[in-house]
């Protein structure tokens, strides 16, 4: 039972990591094009990009049908997803604000998954 919990925890962690990467790449498309930087999502057919998002969302959330789930889990999941959005989304674009970007990055990359 504990080996299954570890495996499902690793799967959801991979899902969160890939989802965060994809969200960041999606919101970086305009800036990357302006800067002449390669954005991998631009190179992919839209159906392939959609499949990557679906796979990432599945890896992120399906393990939670078995993993222990509580109000605290829900808050941490929402905090993780919120940090991804606040870091990357154009309305906030905190990735360009030095201290805030460091805090959000540390939150979604280390703190929330650890908790």
């Amino acid at each position: 039972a504990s080996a299954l919990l570890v495996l499902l925890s690793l799967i959801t962690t991979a899902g969160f990591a890939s989802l965060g990467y994809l969200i960041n790449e999606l919101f970086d498309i305009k800036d990357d094009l302006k800067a002449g930087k390669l954005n991998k999502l631009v190179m992919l057919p839209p159906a392939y990009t959609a499949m990557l998002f679906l796979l990432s969302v599945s890896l992120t959330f399906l393990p939670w049908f078995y993993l222990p789930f509580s109000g605290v889990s829900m808050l941490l999941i929402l905090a993780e997803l919120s940090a991804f959005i606040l870091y990357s989304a154009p309305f906030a674009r905190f990735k360009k604000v030095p201290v805030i970007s460091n805090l959000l990055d540390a939150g979604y990359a280390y703190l929330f998954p650890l908790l």
Side-chain angles (χ1 to χ4, degrees), residues 24-44:
N24 188 52
E25 284 295 291
L26 180 70
F27 286 127
D28 276 353
I29 289 174
K30 281 185 184 178
D31 285 349
D32 287 350
L33 288 174
K34 284 181 190 174
K37 185 178 169 187
L38 177 66
N39 184 299
K40 294 174 185 154
L41 290 185
V42 173
M43 298 174 16
L44 300 175

mmCIF file with all atom_site columns, all heavy atoms in Angstrom, residues 24-44:
data_model
loop_
_atom_site.group_PDB
_atom_site.id
_atom_site.type_symbol
_atom_site.label_atom_id
_atom_site.label_alt_id
_atom_site.label_comp_id
_atom_site.label_asym_id
_atom_site.label_entity_id
_atom_site.label_seq_id
_atom_site.pdbx_PDB_ins_code
_atom_site.Cartn_x
_atom_site.Cartn_y
_atom_site.Cartn_z
_atom_site.occupancy
_atom_site.B_iso_or_equiv
_atom_site.pdbx_formal_charge
_atom_site.auth_seq_id
_atom_site.auth_comp_id
_atom_site.auth_asym_id
_atom_site.auth_atom_id
_atom_site.pdbx_PDB_model_num
ATOM 1   N N   . ASN A 1 24 ? 3.390  27.767 -18.465 1.00 0.00 ? 24 ASN A N   1
ATOM 2   C CA  . ASN A 1 24 ? 4.395  28.801 -18.668 1.00 0.00 ? 24 ASN A CA  1
ATOM 3   C C   . ASN A 1 24 ? 4.719  28.979 -20.154 1.00 0.00 ? 24 ASN A C   1
ATOM 4   O O   . ASN A 1 24 ? 4.792  30.102 -20.658 1.00 0.00 ? 24 ASN A O   1
ATOM 5   C CB  . ASN A 1 24 ? 5.659  28.470 -17.879 1.00 0.00 ? 24 ASN A CB  1
ATOM 6   C CG  . ASN A 1 24 ? 6.646  29.612 -17.898 1.00 0.00 ? 24 ASN A CG  1
ATOM 7   O OD1 . ASN A 1 24 ? 6.310  30.740 -17.579 1.00 0.00 ? 24 ASN A OD1 1
ATOM 8   N ND2 . ASN A 1 24 ? 7.872  29.315 -18.279 1.00 0.00 ? 24 ASN A ND2 1
ATOM 9   N N   . GLU A 1 25 ? 4.901  27.879 -20.860 1.00 0.00 ? 25 GLU A N   1
ATOM 10  C CA  . GLU A 1 25 ? 5.187  27.966 -22.296 1.00 0.00 ? 25 GLU A CA  1
ATOM 11  C C   . GLU A 1 25 ? 4.027  28.594 -23.064 1.00 0.00 ? 25 GLU A C   1
ATOM 12  O O   . GLU A 1 25 ? 4.233  29.394 -23.974 1.00 0.00 ? 25 GLU A O   1
ATOM 13  C CB  . GLU A 1 25 ? 5.486  26.575 -22.873 1.00 0.00 ? 25 GLU A CB  1
ATOM 14  C CG  . GLU A 1 25 ? 6.861  26.045 -22.547 1.00 0.00 ? 25 GLU A CG  1
ATOM 15  C CD  . GLU A 1 25 ? 7.983  26.869 -23.170 1.00 0.00 ? 25 GLU A CD  1
ATOM 16  O OE1 . GLU A 1 25 ? 8.141  26.852 -24.405 1.00 0.00 ? 25 GLU A OE1 1
ATOM 17  O OE2 . GLU A 1 25 ? 8.706  27.533 -22.403 1.00 0.00 ? 25 GLU A OE2 1
ATOM 18  N N   . LEU A 1 26 ? 2.814  28.244 -22.698 1.00 0.00 ? 26 LEU A N   1
ATOM 19  C CA  . LEU A 1 26 ? 1.633  28.801 -23.365 1.00 0.00 ? 26 LEU A CA  1
ATOM 20  C C   . LEU A 1 26 ? 1.592  30.315 -23.218 1.00 0.00 ? 26 LEU A C   1
ATOM 21  O O   . LEU A 1 26 ? 1.387  31.038 -24.192 1.00 0.00 ? 26 LEU A O   1
ATOM 22  C CB  . LEU A 1 26 ? 0.363  28.170 -22.786 1.00 0.00 ? 26 LEU A CB  1
ATOM 23  C CG  . LEU A 1 26 ? -0.945 28.652 -23.382 1.00 0.00 ? 26 LEU A CG  1
ATOM 24  C CD1 . LEU A 1 26 ? -1.090 28.143 -24.825 1.00 0.00 ? 26 LEU A CD1 1
ATOM 25  C CD2 . LEU A 1 26 ? -2.121 28.172 -22.546 1.00 0.00 ? 26 LEU A CD2 1
ATOM 26  N N   . PHE A 1 27 ? 1.814  30.788 -22.005 1.00 0.00 ? 27 PHE A N   1
ATOM 27  C CA  . PHE A 1 27 ? 1.763  32.232 -21.772 1.00 0.00 ? 27 PHE A CA  1
ATOM 28  C C   . PHE A 1 27 ? 3.006  32.957 -22.269 1.00 0.00 ? 27 PHE A C   1
ATOM 29  O O   . PHE A 1 27 ? 3.000  34.181 -22.369 1.00 0.00 ? 27 PHE A O   1
ATOM 30  C CB  . PHE A 1 27 ? 1.535  32.533 -20.294 1.00 0.00 ? 27 PHE A CB  1
ATOM 31  C CG  . PHE A 1 27 ? 0.132  32.263 -19.826 1.00 0.00 ? 27 PHE A CG  1
ATOM 32  C CD1 . PHE A 1 27 ? -0.095 31.463 -18.723 1.00 0.00 ? 27 PHE A CD1 1
ATOM 33  C CD2 . PHE A 1 27 ? -0.961 32.807 -20.480 1.00 0.00 ? 27 PHE A CD2 1
ATOM 34  C CE1 . PHE A 1 27 ? -1.384 31.206 -18.279 1.00 0.00 ? 27 PHE A CE1 1
ATOM 35  C CE2 . PHE A 1 27 ? -2.257 32.562 -20.055 1.00 0.00 ? 27 PHE A CE2 1
ATOM 36  C CZ  . PHE A 1 27 ? -2.468 31.761 -18.948 1.00 0.00 ? 27 PHE A CZ  1
ATOM 37  N N   . ASP A 1 28 ? 4.073  32.240 -22.591 1.00 0.00 ? 28 ASP A N   1
ATOM 38  C CA  . ASP A 1 28 ? 5.306  32.850 -23.091 1.00 0.00 ? 28 ASP A CA  1
ATOM 39  C C   . ASP A 1 28 ? 5.338  32.986 -24.614 1.00 0.00 ? 28 ASP A C   1
ATOM 40  O O   . ASP A 1 28 ? 6.281  33.565 -25.148 1.00 0.00 ? 28 ASP A O   1
ATOM 41  C CB  . ASP A 1 28 ? 6.527  32.018 -22.672 1.00 0.00 ? 28 ASP A CB  1
ATOM 42  C CG  . ASP A 1 28 ? 7.004  32.359 -21.279 1.00 0.00 ? 28 ASP A CG  1
ATOM 43  O OD1 . ASP A 1 28 ? 6.494  33.327 -20.678 1.00 0.00 ? 28 ASP A OD1 1
ATOM 44  O OD2 . ASP A 1 28 ? 7.903  31.652 -20.783 1.00 0.00 ? 28 ASP A OD2 1
ATOM 45  N N   . ILE A 1 29 ? 4.358  32.464 -25.319 1.00 0.00 ? 29 ILE A N   1
ATOM 46  C CA  . ILE A 1 29 ? 4.414  32.429 -26.784 1.00 0.00 ? 29 ILE A CA  1
ATOM 47  C C   . ILE A 1 29 ? 4.665  33.812 -27.370 1.00 0.00 ? 29 ILE A C   1
ATOM 48  O O   . ILE A 1 29 ? 5.593  33.996 -28.170 1.00 0.00 ? 29 ILE A O   1
ATOM 49  C CB  . ILE A 1 29 ? 3.138  31.788 -27.379 1.00 0.00 ? 29 ILE A CB  1
ATOM 50  C CG1 . ILE A 1 29 ? 3.138  30.285 -27.078 1.00 0.00 ? 29 ILE A CG1 1
ATOM 51  C CG2 . ILE A 1 29 ? 3.051  32.041 -28.887 1.00 0.00 ? 29 ILE A CG2 1
ATOM 52  C CD1 . ILE A 1 29 ? 1.859  29.560 -27.494 1.00 0.00 ? 29 ILE A CD1 1
ATOM 53  N N   . LYS A 1 30 ? 3.877  34.816 -26.981 1.00 0.00 ? 30 LYS A N   1
ATOM 54  C CA  . LYS A 1 30 ? 4.037  36.157 -27.560 1.00 0.00 ? 30 LYS A CA  1
ATOM 55  C C   . LYS A 1 30 ? 5.412  36.748 -27.259 1.00 0.00 ? 30 LYS A C   1
ATOM 56  O O   . LYS A 1 30 ? 6.075  37.272 -28.150 1.00 0.00 ? 30 LYS A O   1
ATOM 57  C CB  . LYS A 1 30 ? 2.950  37.098 -27.034 1.00 0.00 ? 30 LYS A CB  1
ATOM 58  C CG  . LYS A 1 30 ? 1.615  36.936 -27.687 1.00 0.00 ? 30 LYS A CG  1
ATOM 59  C CD  . LYS A 1 30 ? 0.652  37.988 -27.172 1.00 0.00 ? 30 LYS A CD  1
ATOM 60  C CE  . LYS A 1 30 ? -0.724 37.787 -27.753 1.00 0.00 ? 30 LYS A CE  1
ATOM 61  N NZ  . LYS A 1 30 ? -1.684 38.763 -27.227 1.00 0.00 ? 30 LYS A NZ  1
ATOM 62  N N   . ASP A 1 31 ? 5.825  36.663 -25.995 1.00 0.00 ? 31 ASP A N   1
ATOM 63  C CA  . ASP A 1 31 ? 7.131  37.218 -25.615 1.00 0.00 ? 31 ASP A CA  1
ATOM 64  C C   . ASP A 1 31 ? 8.270  36.484 -26.319 1.00 0.00 ? 31 ASP A C   1
ATOM 65  O O   . ASP A 1 31 ? 9.248  37.105 -26.743 1.00 0.00 ? 31 ASP A O   1
ATOM 66  C CB  . ASP A 1 31 ? 7.340  37.148 -24.103 1.00 0.00 ? 31 ASP A CB  1
ATOM 67  C CG  . ASP A 1 31 ? 6.528  38.191 -23.347 1.00 0.00 ? 31 ASP A CG  1
ATOM 68  O OD1 . ASP A 1 31 ? 5.971  39.105 -23.994 1.00 0.00 ? 31 ASP A OD1 1
ATOM 69  O OD2 . ASP A 1 31 ? 6.459  38.096 -22.107 1.00 0.00 ? 31 ASP A OD2 1
ATOM 70  N N   . ASP A 1 32 ? 8.155  35.164 -26.432 1.00 0.00 ? 32 ASP A N   1
ATOM 71  C CA  . ASP A 1 32 ? 9.199  34.396 -27.104 1.00 0.00 ? 32 ASP A CA  1
ATOM 72  C C   . ASP A 1 32 ? 9.289  34.758 -28.579 1.00 0.00 ? 32 ASP A C   1
ATOM 73  O O   . ASP A 1 32 ? 10.390 34.884 -29.128 1.00 0.00 ? 32 ASP A O   1
ATOM 74  C CB  . ASP A 1 32 ? 8.949  32.885 -26.952 1.00 0.00 ? 32 ASP A CB  1
ATOM 75  C CG  . ASP A 1 32 ? 9.239  32.388 -25.543 1.00 0.00 ? 32 ASP A CG  1
ATOM 76  O OD1 . ASP A 1 32 ? 9.805  33.153 -24.738 1.00 0.00 ? 32 ASP A OD1 1
ATOM 77  O OD2 . ASP A 1 32 ? 8.878  31.234 -25.250 1.00 0.00 ? 32 ASP A OD2 1
ATOM 78  N N   . LEU A 1 33 ? 8.146  34.936 -29.220 1.00 0.00 ? 33 LEU A N   1
ATOM 79  C CA  . LEU A 1 33 ? 8.157  35.321 -30.637 1.00 0.00 ? 33 LEU A CA  1
ATOM 80  C C   . LEU A 1 33 ? 8.797  36.692 -30.820 1.00 0.00 ? 33 LEU A C   1
ATOM 81  O O   . LEU A 1 33 ? 9.597  36.897 -31.733 1.00 0.00 ? 33 LEU A O   1
ATOM 82  C CB  . LEU A 1 33 ? 6.736  35.301 -31.209 1.00 0.00 ? 33 LEU A CB  1
ATOM 83  C CG  . LEU A 1 33 ? 6.115  33.924 -31.415 1.00 0.00 ? 33 LEU A CG  1
ATOM 84  C CD1 . LEU A 1 33 ? 4.655  34.043 -31.858 1.00 0.00 ? 33 LEU A CD1 1
ATOM 85  C CD2 . LEU A 1 33 ? 6.912  33.108 -32.419 1.00 0.00 ? 33 LEU A CD2 1
ATOM 86  N N   . LYS A 1 34 ? 8.457  37.645 -29.944 1.00 0.00 ? 34 LYS A N   1
ATOM 87  C CA  . LYS A 1 34 ? 9.050  38.987 -30.023 1.00 0.00 ? 34 LYS A CA  1
ATOM 88  C C   . LYS A 1 34 ? 10.566 38.933 -29.831 1.00 0.00 ? 34 LYS A C   1
ATOM 89  O O   . LYS A 1 34 ? 11.303 39.667 -30.464 1.00 0.00 ? 34 LYS A O   1
ATOM 90  C CB  . LYS A 1 34 ? 8.453  39.902 -28.948 1.00 0.00 ? 34 LYS A CB  1
ATOM 91  C CG  . LYS A 1 34 ? 7.074  40.388 -29.250 1.00 0.00 ? 34 LYS A CG  1
ATOM 92  C CD  . LYS A 1 34 ? 6.594  41.298 -28.125 1.00 0.00 ? 34 LYS A CD  1
ATOM 93  C CE  . LYS A 1 34 ? 5.139  41.610 -28.255 1.00 0.00 ? 34 LYS A CE  1
ATOM 94  N NZ  . LYS A 1 34 ? 4.626  42.367 -27.099 1.00 0.00 ? 34 LYS A NZ  1
ATOM 95  N N   . ALA A 1 35 ? 11.014 38.065 -28.936 1.00 0.00 ? 35 ALA A N   1
ATOM 96  C CA  . ALA A 1 35 ? 12.440 37.961 -28.619 1.00 0.00 ? 35 ALA A CA  1
ATOM 97  C C   . ALA A 1 35 ? 13.193 37.053 -29.585 1.00 0.00 ? 35 ALA A C   1
ATOM 98  O O   . ALA A 1 35 ? 14.405 36.903 -29.486 1.00 0.00 ? 35 ALA A O   1
ATOM 99  C CB  . ALA A 1 35 ? 12.617 37.445 -27.190 1.00 0.00 ? 35 ALA A CB  1
ATOM 100 N N   . GLY A 1 36 ? 12.468 36.428 -30.514 1.00 0.00 ? 36 GLY A N   1
ATOM 101 C CA  . GLY A 1 36 ? 13.113 35.502 -31.436 1.00 0.00 ? 36 GLY A CA  1
ATOM 102 C C   . GLY A 1 36 ? 13.524 34.201 -30.780 1.00 0.00 ? 36 GLY A C   1
ATOM 103 O O   . GLY A 1 36 ? 14.401 33.497 -31.274 1.00 0.00 ? 36 GLY A O   1
ATOM 104 N N   . LYS A 1 37 ? 12.900 33.894 -29.655 1.00 0.00 ? 37 LYS A N   1
ATOM 105 C CA  . LYS A 1 37 ? 13.223 32.691 -28.894 1.00 0.00 ? 37 LYS A CA  1
ATOM 106 C C   . LYS A 1 37 ? 12.307 31.547 -29.314 1.00 0.00 ? 37 LYS A C   1
ATOM 107 O O   . LYS A 1 37 ? 11.128 31.741 -29.592 1.00 0.00 ? 37 LYS A O   1
ATOM 108 C CB  . LYS A 1 37 ? 13.041 32.988 -27.399 1.00 0.00 ? 37 LYS A CB  1
ATOM 109 C CG  . LYS A 1 37 ? 13.435 31.898 -26.471 1.00 0.00 ? 37 LYS A CG  1
ATOM 110 C CD  . LYS A 1 37 ? 13.246 32.352 -25.019 1.00 0.00 ? 37 LYS A CD  1
ATOM 111 C CE  . LYS A 1 37 ? 13.392 31.184 -24.084 1.00 0.00 ? 37 LYS A CE  1
ATOM 112 N NZ  . LYS A 1 37 ? 13.049 31.547 -22.711 1.00 0.00 ? 37 LYS A NZ  1
ATOM 113 N N   . LEU A 1 38 ? 12.851 30.349 -29.335 1.00 0.00 ? 38 LEU A N   1
ATOM 114 C CA  . LEU A 1 38 ? 12.079 29.170 -29.711 1.00 0.00 ? 38 LEU A CA  1
ATOM 115 C C   . LEU A 1 38 ? 11.105 28.798 -28.597 1.00 0.00 ? 38 LEU A C   1
ATOM 116 O O   . LEU A 1 38 ? 11.498 28.629 -27.450 1.00 0.00 ? 38 LEU A O   1
ATOM 117 C CB  . LEU A 1 38 ? 13.017 27.990 -29.973 1.00 0.00 ? 38 LEU A CB  1
ATOM 118 C CG  . LEU A 1 38 ? 12.362 26.656 -30.307 1.00 0.00 ? 38 LEU A CG  1
ATOM 119 C CD1 . LEU A 1 38 ? 11.643 26.742 -31.652 1.00 0.00 ? 38 LEU A CD1 1
ATOM 120 C CD2 . LEU A 1 38 ? 13.400 25.559 -30.325 1.00 0.00 ? 38 LEU A CD2 1
ATOM 121 N N   . ASN A 1 39 ? 9.828  28.711 -28.936 1.00 0.00 ? 39 ASN A N   1
ATOM 122 C CA  . ASN A 1 39 ? 8.812  28.224 -28.011 1.00 0.00 ? 39 ASN A CA  1
ATOM 123 C C   . ASN A 1 39 ? 8.293  26.914 -28.581 1.00 0.00 ? 39 ASN A C   1
ATOM 124 O O   . ASN A 1 39 ? 7.743  26.876 -29.680 1.00 0.00 ? 39 ASN A O   1
ATOM 125 C CB  . ASN A 1 39 ? 7.677  29.237 -27.847 1.00 0.00 ? 39 ASN A CB  1
ATOM 126 C CG  . ASN A 1 39 ? 6.656  28.804 -26.822 1.00 0.00 ? 39 ASN A CG  1
ATOM 127 O OD1 . ASN A 1 39 ? 6.015  27.772 -26.966 1.00 0.00 ? 39 ASN A OD1 1
ATOM 128 N ND2 . ASN A 1 39 ? 6.490  29.616 -25.789 1.00 0.00 ? 39 ASN A ND2 1
ATOM 129 N N   . LYS A 1 40 ? 8.482  25.847 -27.836 1.00 0.00 ? 40 LYS A N   1
ATOM 130 C CA  . LYS A 1 40 ? 8.170  24.513 -28.351 1.00 0.00 ? 40 LYS A CA  1
ATOM 131 C C   . LYS A 1 40 ? 6.696  24.318 -28.657 1.00 0.00 ? 40 LYS A C   1
ATOM 132 O O   . LYS A 1 40 ? 6.347  23.529 -29.535 1.00 0.00 ? 40 LYS A O   1
ATOM 133 C CB  . LYS A 1 40 ? 8.674  23.460 -27.377 1.00 0.00 ? 40 LYS A CB  1
ATOM 134 C CG  . LYS A 1 40 ? 10.181 23.459 -27.290 1.00 0.00 ? 40 LYS A CG  1
ATOM 135 C CD  . LYS A 1 40 ? 10.686 22.527 -26.233 1.00 0.00 ? 40 LYS A CD  1
ATOM 136 C CE  . LYS A 1 40 ? 12.190 22.682 -26.148 1.00 0.00 ? 40 LYS A CE  1
ATOM 137 N NZ  . LYS A 1 40 ? 12.721 22.338 -24.881 1.00 0.00 ? 40 LYS A NZ  1
ATOM 138 N N   . LEU A 1 41 ? 5.810  25.024 -27.960 1.00 0.00 ? 41 LEU A N   1
ATOM 139 C CA  . LEU A 1 41 ? 4.384  24.853 -28.233 1.00 0.00 ? 41 LEU A CA  1
ATOM 140 C C   . LEU A 1 41 ? 3.991  25.394 -29.602 1.00 0.00 ? 41 LEU A C   1
ATOM 141 O O   . LEU A 1 41 ? 3.051  24.907 -30.210 1.00 0.00 ? 41 LEU A O   1
ATOM 142 C CB  . LEU A 1 41 ? 3.539  25.513 -27.138 1.00 0.00 ? 41 LEU A CB  1
ATOM 143 C CG  . LEU A 1 41 ? 3.567  24.851 -25.768 1.00 0.00 ? 41 LEU A CG  1
ATOM 144 C CD1 . LEU A 1 41 ? 2.600  25.547 -24.816 1.00 0.00 ? 41 LEU A CD1 1
ATOM 145 C CD2 . LEU A 1 41 ? 3.241  23.368 -25.853 1.00 0.00 ? 41 LEU A CD2 1
ATOM 146 N N   . VAL A 1 42 ? 4.717  26.397 -30.077 1.00 0.00 ? 42 VAL A N   1
ATOM 147 C CA  . VAL A 1 42 ? 4.426  26.965 -31.396 1.00 0.00 ? 42 VAL A CA  1
ATOM 148 C C   . VAL A 1 42 ? 4.734  25.953 -32.496 1.00 0.00 ? 42 VAL A C   1
ATOM 149 O O   . VAL A 1 42 ? 4.084  25.925 -33.534 1.00 0.00 ? 42 VAL A O   1
ATOM 150 C CB  . VAL A 1 42 ? 5.228  28.270 -31.619 1.00 0.00 ? 42 VAL A CB  1
ATOM 151 C CG1 . VAL A 1 42 ? 5.079  28.779 -33.035 1.00 0.00 ? 42 VAL A CG1 1
ATOM 152 C CG2 . VAL A 1 42 ? 4.787  29.327 -30.623 1.00 0.00 ? 42 VAL A CG2 1
ATOM 153 N N   . MET A 1 43 ? 5.717  25.107 -32.236 1.00 0.00 ? 43 MET A N   1
ATOM 154 C CA  . MET A 1 43 ? 6.141  24.135 -33.248 1.00 0.00 ? 43 MET A CA  1
ATOM 155 C C   . MET A 1 43 ? 5.199  22.930 -33.340 1.00 0.00 ? 43 MET A C   1
ATOM 156 O O   . MET A 1 43 ? 5.238  22.203 -34.316 1.00 0.00 ? 43 MET A O   1
ATOM 157 C CB  . MET A 1 43 ? 7.553  23.637 -32.925 1.00 0.00 ? 43 MET A CB  1
ATOM 158 C CG  . MET A 1 43 ? 8.581  24.743 -32.943 1.00 0.00 ? 43 MET A CG  1
ATOM 159 S SD  . MET A 1 43 ? 10.249 24.262 -32.418 1.00 0.00 ? 43 MET A SD  1
ATOM 160 C CE  . MET A 1 43 ? 10.277 22.522 -32.472 1.00 0.00 ? 43 MET A CE  1
ATOM 161 N N   . LEU A 1 44 ? 4.381  22.720 -32.323 1.00 0.00 ? 44 LEU A N   1
ATOM 162 C CA  . LEU A 1 44 ? 3.522  21.543 -32.276 1.00 0.00 ? 44 LEU A CA  1
ATOM 163 C C   . LEU A 1 44 ? 2.159  21.817 -32.910 1.00 0.00 ? 44 LEU A C   1
ATOM 164 O O   . LEU A 1 44 ? 1.627  22.917 -32.769 1.00 0.00 ? 44 LEU A O   1
ATOM 165 C CB  . LEU A 1 44 ? 3.302  21.102 -30.824 1.00 0.00 ? 44 LEU A CB  1
ATOM 166 C CG  . LEU A 1 44 ? 4.532  20.729 -30.029 1.00 0.00 ? 44 LEU A CG  1
ATOM 167 C CD1 . LEU A 1 44 ? 4.150  20.449 -28.582 1.00 0.00 ? 44 LEU A CD1 1
ATOM 168 C CD2 . LEU A 1 44 ? 5.221  19.526 -30.637 1.00 0.00 ? 44 LEU A CD2 1
#
